[in-house]
Each structure stands twice: as C-alpha cells, then as structure tokens.
Amino acid sequence: MPARLDTAYRDLALDTLLTSQLDVLVIGGGVVGTGAALDAASRGLSVALIEARDWAAGTSSRSSKLIHGGLRYLEQLDFGLVREALRERARLLHRLAPHLVRPVPFLYPLRHRAWERAYVGAGVLLYDTIGGARALPPHRHLSRRRALDLAPSLRADALTGAIRYYDAQVDDARFTMMLARTAAQHGATVLNRMAATKLAVDAGRVVGAEVRDDQSGQEFTVRARRVISATGVWTDELHRLAGTEGQFQVSMSKGVHVLVPRERIDLATGLIMRTEKSVLFVIPWDEHWIIGTTDTPWSHERANPAASRADVEYILGRVNAVLRDPLTPADLVGVYAGLRPLLAGRSSDTARLSREHAVSEPVPGLFVVAGGKFTTYRVMAADVVDAAASGLGREVAPSLTHRLPILGAVGFHELWSNRIALARRAGLRVPAVERLLRRYGSLTTDLLGMIDSDPGLADPVDGAAPYLRAEIVYAVTHEGALHIDDVLARRTRVAIELPDRGERAAAVVGDLAASHLGWDAQTAAAETTAYRAQVRAELAAEHAVDDEAANAARSTADQTCSETRTAAVSGSSALNT
C-alpha cells in the first residue's frame, strides 16, 4: 500500500482488516507501536497497526522532545542503558531521520568549584564517548564569564562556571506519524481511530482482537497469529482484557512542560539544571523555549492528563531560581502534560525495570512491551517482534530497522544543500523552505507541488502562522489526520505554540479539511466547537489547584467533544437519508 494516508487508503485498509488473517496485529500507535509495525513489515510479515485515537495521541506527543542518552543515568551507573540510547541517537541523527532529529547544545551550570567541575566533566566525557563517539561535537568547559556570554539571562551568582555539551531533539508527534507512514510504505496496514475493545481467544490462545472504527461505529474481528501490545500506560488494561495480571504492572508518572517566547529568555544554548527530584531542561524550540519537566504520580484519566496550577508554579519556581528576570504565568504561551509508563515488576527488581523496557508473553499469542525511553523505541520494537516471530513456523529475517531510513530521510541532505534555489522556484522565503525541510524532509517536494497547483496554499494559516495552508491540506490527504485536534495538536504544534492554543485557527483548519474528509458544514462546525471546548478546558485545568480539579475540568471537555461530534454525525446522516 502507498504511504499516503488519505480516506481512500483508509477504505482499502479496512477491507484488509476485514478479509485477511495477519501474521501480526500491533495495538497502540505511539512510537513503540509504530516502530514495531515497521520492524515487522520490513521483515516480510503481514502486519496491521491500530490506534484508538490518533498517532502519538498519548505519551509520544507529550515528551521533552529530546533524543538523548539520559545524562543522569550515568550517575546511577546504568552504563548499558546510556550506551544503548546514545547509539540510537547517532543512528537517528545520521542515517534514519536526519530531517526530523537535529543536534541541540546544552549548558550545565556548575554551582561549586573544583570538585563539581571534575565530577560532572568526567561524566560528560563518558557521555560523549560510550555510545556514539564523534556523533556530535565534544563537550567544552567554560568559565563563568564565557558561560554568561552564552546565557546572559542567568544570574551571575547562579553559577561558578559551566560545561556545554550536545544532545538532540525531535518533534515527537511528527516522528511517530512518519514511522506509521513508513510502515505503510513497507506493506503494513495502519489505521488510527480504531480501538481494540476485546481480545479474540481460541482454545486459550490470543488470535486477534475485536475492534471498533471510531469514524463509522463499525465493529468486527481482526484475525492475527500474533498480537503485540504497545499500549504504554494502558498496558494494565490490556492485561485485564487478556484475563491476566501479567509479569509486570505499569504505573503513571505525570510530566508537565511549559512554553515561553524565545525572546523572553536570552540564551544561545539550551539549559539543564539539577532539581531536588531530577533535572529541569530549558530546550530551544523554534520561536519558543520548552521548560520542564515535573515527575509526580497520576491516578486519574489516562487519555488526557491535565497540568494544574501547582505543576506550573513548580516549573516556574525552579527555572526562576537561576534567571535574572523571573518568568510569570503571563509569559506562558503553551502548557502540556504527558504520562510516563513506569514499570514495576511483580518481583523485587522494580527499580531497574522502571528505567528499562520489558517484553513478556502473559498468555499464548499475546506479546506485551512496555517501559523504556522514546530514544530507544527501535530497540524495544525489534525485541518484541523477535519474541512474536518465534514459533511462527517459518524463518523470519532479523530486524533491519537499524539501517532503514524513515520516510523523508532519503534525499533530505541534497534538498537542504539546494534550499535557496528551491525557495526561489517555489516563490517562498528561504526560512520557510528550511522549516518545511525540517518537518517533511524530502517529502517537502509534495507540498511544493501542491503549492504549484494552487498558489493560495502558500499563504500562512490565519491564526496559525508560520504554518502554511498547504500543511493543513497535506495533514488530511497524506498524514492520516481525521479531526481538527489531529492537525493542530500533532501534525502541527499550534496547540502548544500559540497563546490561544489554536482557537482562532480551528475554523480555518475545518474549512481546509472539509472537502478532503467529506465533511458537510454541520460537521465542520461541530469539529470547530469540539476543539474550542477542549482548549477552554485545558486552560481551566491550568488554573485548577491540584490534579483532581484539573482532571475534572479536562474530563468535562472530553465528554462535550464526544457528544458534539456524535450529534454532528447523526444530524449529517439524517440529512443524507
């Protein structure tokens, strides 16, 4: 099948699920699930990937957006985990996804004199070399004066010197979606808005799943010889569907990040600081800084964790401790919360499990993968496919995703080198083409072709500049977006990058998407109303005093969105009968 995830693709994919028995059914469209689908498909297995909501709708769109080894794990002597992650970082930067993953410098301020510089410097030197020597520029020791030259916004008494080192960053949601498209390109059948409601069992063995199409309400059974669960914080729910406790359980830890305008903090580099619990990052993100994260238990709604006023105050308090001009809540343009799936084994070895990943077969035919880090998604995917492929009754090739470029990678460097001429031919400014190349890689030519056919698509989206109208259309014609939220929260990042979270742009997005998704005016209006209700609930949650109040505010919006969309579909159906 092609990698163009439009409505025609969806119809073909549904037919495949209805009529085929698969080798592997993957449940969960986060980075590990999409990675598993690609891994299995590239080995020649027949594969389907289903996701109840949208690609990366959960944890995989709400990370710190870093591809890193985890500098703090060296202090915990977890050398194997760091080495593995840094090897993956090097692969992503240079072979697999150079269009989506790029280097980013960080400043590590030192508070004490000689002993701290020697201690941290030794750790960073090891970090530079154990997993990908020469993958990025080496670290440098800086005096306080030189550090303040790079970071004028820091208080002079907040550091005695610093160490600058490099890591990498990624748009996590776009990366995950591109993995799904790459899996489709290699023959996998991929469908978002397709929920697994029950596991199909025959003679004590899992042989597929009962699913429901969120778009049509249709329910049917997908048959597969192996089922892989890559469901993150929903892992325990999958265990319950299988009628087992499983060999490990997953607890939820909430991580909150805030965004402020780039000009609000004068830094020429990212920043990493120790806190009493972990570390706090200040990460460059185009015209913004991402600041976070928190690490607190969460026991409420899994689908849409909410940031509370307490979370925001914690982040501002920690970053303001080193800033000359403290931030206030009025500076914030975006806030987001995600849940980390932390493993807790049913044995005594829980601390190690929480930092690494695990694969199990709790019942015959069902393979569960959980834990790990975004950076090591590919290793996790290969491990669970290895386990699932064993016993299929035929030889299955080993994983080859360590050398399989993600869609948009091939040809990216050539286009980047030619970006000035590319911009001239397209009638766009060079920064606009650079931005497209970093989001789409060599697929940028698809968008430029659309603009060539309809020059109006080169205009910025009203209320969502610098995103172009072509990007909205492309999201629904090629990237599988089915709702306004999919476009504004994950295909673009308007939902966290603008103070109104995309409220103004929602109607424009609805109008651009309508003809491609088969919406009538009533459906488009309902989509806009649902998105705006979601935004208002998130803003209300941010003013709630604690998690319980924030969750209540967010859950009210989820119910309103669902009812609004259902009423629109019912009304539209009645008009067309």
Side-chain angles (χ1 to χ4, degrees):
M1 285 187 177
R4 178 172 175 160
L5 306 184
D6 58 6
T7 54
Y9 172 90
R10 189 175 183 87
D11 291 341
L12 288 171
L14 283 167
D15 185 63
T16 298
L17 294 192
L18 284 164
T19 60
S20 303
Q21 180 172 21
L22 304 158
D23 291 324
V24 179
L25 171 65
V26 182
I27 301 173
V31 71
V32 177
T34 55
L38 173 58
D39 189 283
S42 63
R43 299 190 199 200
L45 299 175
S46 59
V47 184
L49 166 66
I50 60 172
E51 159 58 39
R53 296 185 294 161
D54 185 29
W55 311 123
T59 302
S60 294
S61 62
R62 306 178 190 190
S63 72
S64 295
K65 314 197 188 310
L66 292 176
I67 298 294
H68 65 140
L71 187 59
R72 64 192 175 100
Y73 294 140
L74 286 179
E75 192 171 27
Q76 300 166 9
L77 306 181
D78 212 334
F79 302 118
L81 178 65
V82 176
R83 180 184 294 109
E84 180 179 77
L86 291 177
R87 285 175 177 166
E88 293 303 306
R89 184 190 69 179
R91 288 189 177 108
L92 289 164
L93 276 166
H94 300 300
R95 173 176 285 186
L96 304 185
H99 56 312
L100 300 173
V101 179
R102 61 181 184 264
V104 59
F106 282 98
L107 199 68
Y108 189 116
L110 302 171
R111 299 298 302 270
H112 308 281
R113 294 200 178 268
W115 73 264
E116 188 182 18
R117 184 178 290 278
Y119 178 73
V120 175
V124 177
L125 175 62
L126 188 60
Y127 193 74
D128 275 348
T129 58
I130 66 170
R134 297 181 298 278
L136 288 171
H139 75 283
R140 289 187 59 189
H141 285 261
L142 304 176
S143 66
R144 176 162 60 183
R145 180 175 179 179
R146 178 60 181 138
L148 291 173
D149 286 343
L150 291 173
S153 278
L154 296 186
R155 287 173 24 204
D157 63 352
L159 70 165
T160 60
I163 295 175
R164 186 179 66 178
Y165 74 98
Y166 279 80
D167 250 320
Q169 69 177 170
V170 66
D171 185 328
D172 48 5
R174 288 200 59 78
F175 183 92
T176 302
M177 176 275 297
M178 291 291 256
L179 277 177
R181 290 189 66 191
T182 308
Q185 183 185 42
H186 286 270
T189 299
V190 303
L191 279 167
N192 54 349
R193 305 292 174 181
M194 182 70 63
T197 57
K198 187 178 180 181
L199 294 175
V201 179
D202 184 13
R205 185 178 190 85
V206 173
V207 293
E210 296 181 17
V211 303
R212 183 184 64 252
D213 181 359
D214 180 64
Q215 298 302 103
S216 66
Q218 181 182 12
E219 298 183 355
F220 55 94
T221 299
V222 179
R223 296 287 174 182
R225 301 176 68 191
R226 299 286 189 271
V227 174
I228 291 175
S229 165
T231 50
V233 295
W234 281 270
T235 296
D236 290 353
E237 293 297 317
L238 229 295
H239 282 148
R240 277 190 275 275
L241 287 179
T244 179
E245 284 190 341
Q247 296 170 12
F248 48 77
Q249 60 187 11
V250 173
S251 61
M252 298 182 290
S253 171
K254 185 177 69 166
V256 174
H257 297 78
V258 303
L259 280 82
V260 300
R262 193 68 174 264
E263 63 270 16
R264 188 58 184 80
I265 306 176
D266 188 5
L267 298 174
T269 173
L271 195 64
I272 177 174
M273 300 169 288
R274 283 183 178 273
T275 68
E276 66 276 15
K277 294 182 179 179
S278 180
V279 294
L280 189 80
F281 287 101
V282 179
I283 306 163
W285 181 258
D286 293 332
E287 300 304 315
H288 303 86
W289 296 104
I290 294 176
I291 308 173
T293 182
T294 62
D295 188 355
T296 57
W298 177 263
S299 58
H300 303 288
E301 171 60 43
R302 289 177 173 86
N304 290 297
S308 69
R309 188 171 68 203
D311 295 320
V312 172
E313 289 174 350
Y314 171 85
I315 292 172
L316 293 183
R318 297 309 175 275
V319 74
N320 283 341
V322 299
L323 294 180
R324 288 191 296 105
D325 184 11
L327 300 171
T328 72
D331 293 311
L332 305 186
V333 298
V335 178
Y336 65 92
L339 298 177
R340 303 179 191 89
L342 299 180
L343 289 179
R346 300 191 189 279
S347 66
S348 61
D349 193 18
T350 58
R352 182 172 179 81
L353 276 174
S354 70
R355 296 192 301 273
E356 296 188 355
H357 71 272
V359 174
S360 70
E361 187 181 8
V363 297
L366 175 65
F367 297 83
V368 178
V369 58
K373 293 158 50 70
F374 192 105
T375 304
T376 57
Y377 81 91
R378 195 198 61 79
V379 178
M380 297 171 65
D383 284 353
V384 73
V385 174
D386 281 345
S390 176
L392 277 176
R394 68 180 191 272
E395 185 176 351
V396 176
S399 176
L400 54 79
T401 53
H402 62 286
R403 53 186 174 86
L404 186 65
I406 293 168
L407 203 62
V410 175
F412 163 69
H413 289 299
E414 291 81 358
L415 286 176
W416 183 263
S417 297
N418 199 36
R419 63 192 183 277
I420 295 174
L422 199 63
R424 187 183 305 114
R425 288 196 299 270
L428 296 173
R429 296 175 62 246
V430 173
V433 171
E434 290 177 341
R435 189 181 146 280
L436 292 175
L437 286 168
R438 289 194 181 107
R439 288 171 49 75
Y440 302 91
S442 57
L443 300 182
T444 296
T445 56
D446 290 348
L447 286 95
L448 298 183
M450 293 167 58
I451 290 170
D452 187 54
S453 299
D454 181 358
L457 294 178
D459 295 338
V461 177
D462 188 25
Y467 293 101
L468 307 182
R469 294 167 69 88
E471 294 183 81
I472 308 304
V473 174
Y474 193 79
V476 297
T477 59
H478 289 71
E479 297 179 340
L482 295 170
H483 295 288
I484 290 176
D485 177 53
D486 300 344
V487 176
L488 292 179
R490 287 171 292 279
R491 305 307 182 276
T492 69
R493 307 318 294 268
V494 170
I496 60 172
E497 292 175 343
L498 294 176
D500 76 344
R501 315 296 165 89
E503 268 204 82
R504 181 180 162 202
V508 178
V509 170
D511 289 343
L512 288 168
S515 63
H516 302 286
L517 294 177
W519 293 350
D520 58 18
Q522 182 177 3
T523 304
E527 278 282 333
T528 301
T529 299
Y531 181 78
R532 288 173 172 167
Q534 174 183 313
V535 167
R536 290 164 188 164
E538 289 173 352
L539 292 171
E542 291 164 25
H543 290 90
V545 294
D546 56 24
D547 283 352
E548 186 173 356
N551 181 68
R554 189 66 182 85
S555 297
T556 299
D558 293 340
Q559 182 64 29
T560 300
C561 291
S562 178
E563 291 172 354
T564 301
R565 284 175 177 150
T566 300
V569 170
S570 300
S572 179
S573 299
L575 289 172
N576 292 318
T577 54

